[in-house]
Amino acid sequence: MYVSGRAPDRKRERQLSSGSVATPPYTGGDVSRSGELGRMFDVSSSSPASSSRRSSGPLPPPPQLRPPPSPALSQLSHSGLLVGPSPPHAPSWRKASRMRKAAGAGEEAAAAPVVARGRTRLGVPLACYVLVAVAALAGLGVGVFFLVSWRRWEGLAGAGGAVAVAAAVLSWNVARCAAEAERFFRRSPDTVFDQADMPIGELVKITGQVTCGRIPVGACFHDAARCVFTSVRMYGRRGWAWACCCSRWQLRHSEARSTSFYISDRNSGRRFYVRAGEGTKITWMIKRKTVRFDGETKGSSRSLKSWAESHGVSCDGAVRVEEGFIREGDTTSVIGVLKKHHAYDVVDAPDGVVATGCQPARFMFPVLVEGLVFIGSEDPDEAVYIV
């Protein structure tokens, strides 16, 4: 519908529209020839030479941008051989990684908390000791009375024999207390876990491979960077006067470090989290490796000297260091109380003590053990390292 004016020429309009669609003007990349499109996007002309470019013809190839050649690539010829002077040697990344690893092991050992050792003692009440002592004195008194009154020595001999047997049994128990406790716990069976009936709040024994937690512990004198537990004892040689009547080696320093870790039960495959960090009492039963060191010789161990200085211990003269550890991947047994924390199975130290029970066949009284119990492998590497 036309409101006013002359009707447009439809034939001329069709020609213009068809021509504009079929053959649009070629700008050649020149903004000045783009018309309304260039002005709409507010694009200015990059160079005056672009305005004199022809509106038709092939596009020139774009310039190739080449990055500056690196020193290493500039020495490669077309044949692949190195040409020109060799670049300066950078420090070995293996050496740097070893240095970082050693520094990291020292930081991890320093970050791991020092734990207290649980006591291992006989489970005999004090009243029993008092009763046995009174009975022994009474028997000896009666024997002496018979000997003085009726010249009969049988009573004194019998009383003396009974006292000797009681003293021998007590000495045997005191000497074999720790060894018999380890023997008992090693022979005790592992706990069988049932998904439907977990022994929550009860004492369990779990045997399997251990895995480090968030903070591993590093051994100080052996090649074991990722451990869950380490124990170090440093002994110094006594003088000849002390060696004749006492032990030749005197304990100078003792410490143990532990961190929380995971253990996988070898029977059920379940994974448990063992909380063995700071403030936990631990009784460990592991074999130790020995390092012997003579501080007066030239071949001094730098690791031992730095460790002794950091702990304020003198390493002069002959020194013997015993170190035990539980590495990641070792098969270990843990005895503790099973608890449930949300969806996780956690093993904590028992509130009281763990008793072995009386063993009459071995003339052993009950042995009481405090804290978590760690039992290492029975056949570790027994090599002795001479530093």
Side-chain angles (χ1 to χ4, degrees):
M1 180 179 66
Y2 299 98
V3 179
S4 63
R6 189 179 57 181
D9 190 357
R10 298 182 179 274
K11 183 178 181 180
R12 185 171 178 271
E13 184 179 1
R14 281 196 303 267
Q15 289 178 358
L16 289 176
S17 60
S18 61
S20 61
V21 173
T23 57
Y26 177 70
T27 63
D30 190 0
V31 182
S32 60
R33 297 176 180 270
S34 300
E36 294 294 336
L37 182 63
R39 286 192 293 272
M40 181 175 62
F41 288 99
D42 195 16
V43 180
S44 60
S45 177
S46 59
S47 61
S50 61
S51 61
S52 61
R53 191 174 300 168
R54 299 178 61 184
S55 61
S56 63
L59 289 174
Q64 296 182 0
L65 299 177
R66 296 182 180 179
S70 60
L73 295 178
S74 61
Q75 296 173 5
L76 288 174
S77 62
H78 294 285
S79 61
L81 301 178
L82 287 171
V83 295
S86 60
H89 294 282
S92 175
W93 64 271
R94 294 180 181 271
K95 184 177 180 181
S97 63
R98 285 197 298 267
M99 294 174 63
R100 288 194 300 267
K101 185 178 180 180
E107 292 177 359
E108 290 171 356
V114 178
V115 294
R117 174 157 192 162
R119 291 193 304 166
T120 302
R121 66 182 189 274
L122 293 175
V124 179
L126 182 60
C128 294
Y129 291 106
V130 174
L131 183 62
V132 170
V134 170
L137 291 177
L140 291 176
V142 171
V144 171
F145 177 76
F146 284 168
L147 180 63
V148 173
S149 300
W150 295 290
R151 303 294 179 179
R152 302 296 296 268
W153 54 270
E154 291 86 354
L156 183 60
V163 171
V165 170
V169 172
L170 182 60
S171 301
W172 166 261
N173 278 263
V174 172
R176 296 286 301 173
C177 179
E180 289 297 326
E182 180 177 351
R183 177 183 178 276
F184 177 84
F185 287 128
R186 286 188 183 275
R187 290 175 176 266
S188 60
D190 297 338
T191 305
V192 179
F193 296 100
D194 186 7
Q195 180 66 28
D197 186 17
M198 293 291 289
I200 303 299
E202 299 180 9
L203 194 69
V204 296
K205 179 185 177 183
I206 306 171
T207 302
Q209 290 185 337
V210 297
T211 309
C212 292
R214 187 174 60 89
I215 303 177
V217 186
C220 300
F221 307 103
H222 297 87
D223 187 14
R226 294 183 62 83
C227 301
V228 300
F229 173 82
T230 60
S231 170
V232 179
R233 284 187 176 184
M234 183 177 180
Y235 297 88
R237 182 179 294 174
R238 296 175 183 265
W240 290 107
W242 283 97
C244 295
C245 57
C246 302
S247 176
R248 187 180 179 185
W249 298 96
Q250 179 184 9
L251 181 63
R252 292 185 181 179
H253 183 76
S254 175
E255 74 169 20
R257 295 182 180 273
S258 179
T259 182
S260 300
F261 60 93
Y262 298 92
I263 183 170
S264 301
D265 183 35
R266 62 182 177 183
N267 298 322
S268 62
R270 295 182 65 90
R271 198 182 189 198
F272 300 87
Y273 182 69
V274 182
R275 287 195 283 206
E278 186 176 0
T280 306
K281 283 188 177 182
I282 300 176
T283 300
W284 54 90
M285 303 172 183
I286 57 178
K287 305 297 181 181
R288 300 186 184 92
K289 298 181 181 181
T290 304
V291 178
R292 299 183 186 274
F293 169 73
D294 190 358
E296 298 176 355
T297 60
K298 285 186 177 181
S300 301
S301 173
R302 294 183 179 179
S303 60
L304 181 58
K305 284 190 173 181
S306 61
W307 180 85
E309 291 177 358
S310 62
H311 291 78
V313 183
S314 174
C315 60
D316 298 334
V319 175
R320 188 184 74 184
V321 177
E322 295 180 354
E323 184 177 26
F325 48 84
I326 300 176
R327 294 172 296 188
E328 186 177 41
D330 289 352
T331 301
T332 310
S333 297
V334 177
I335 299 178
V337 176
L338 180 63
K339 296 182 180 179
K340 197 76 173 180
H341 182 72
H342 298 292
Y344 301 97
D345 299 323
V346 182
V347 179
D348 279 341
D351 297 332
V353 294
V354 183
T356 61
C358 187
Q359 306 178 59
R362 301 185 62 83
F363 302 99
M364 284 298 301
F365 299 138
V367 181
L368 305 182
V369 178
E370 294 180 345
L372 280 171
V373 181
F374 291 170
I375 306 174
S377 177
E378 289 187 287
D379 300 319
D381 186 9
E382 296 291 345
V384 177
Y385 298 88
I386 307 299
V387 180

